[in-house]
Amino acid sequence: LRGLASVLVELTPTINHCSLATLIGLAVRVRLEQTLPPNYRIDVRMKEGSHAQDDQVNKQLGDKERVAAALENDTLKSHLDNMLKTCVQ
């Protein structure tokens, strides 16, 4: 596709069983979606072998329907908004 650009972010958690890996990945994805033009394909994932459940976390982060459902959850959305409020506009 002409004019389509890609961004790949591979996250490495500080510990391989980090319980916040999905939330952090989601926050990165949301911030990039807010910042980049719509012609960017965004792929946020755990670096292979860096997390005990990297395949499951990556599946969640790569599934547009799961991401959309997560953003409809008021509690989760509140956490994300809180995390992202320090980002420069």
Side-chain angles (χ1 to χ4, degrees), residues 27-38:
V28 170
R29 179 181 194 85
V30 166
R31 182 60 181 152
L32 288 172
E33 288 175 352
Q34 291 172 345
T35 307
L36 295 173

Side-chain angles (χ1 to χ4, degrees), residues 9-65:
V9 178
E10 289 188 322
L11 301 171
T12 302
T14 54
I15 54 175
N16 74 344
H17 55 277
C18 178
S19 63
L20 297 175
T22 305
L23 182 62
I24 293 168
L26 186 59
V28 170
R29 179 181 194 85
V30 166
R31 182 60 181 152
L32 288 172
E33 288 175 352
Q34 291 172 345
T35 307
L36 295 173
N39 64 318
Y40 277 78
R41 180 182 180 278
I42 299 167
D43 188 11
V44 177
R45 61 179 59 200
M46 294 293 117
K47 189 171 182 180
E48 187 175 343
S50 69
H51 191 277
Q53 298 175 328
D54 58 8
D55 56 333
Q56 293 168 347
V57 174
N58 290 340
K59 187 174 181 177
Q60 288 179 328
L61 292 174
D63 186 330
K64 289 182 181 185
E65 289 179 13

Side-chain angles (χ1 to χ4, degrees), residues 31 35 84-89:
R31 182 60 181 152
T35 307
L84 298 175
K85 71 181 175 185
T86 60
C87 292
V88 177
Q89 296 297 324

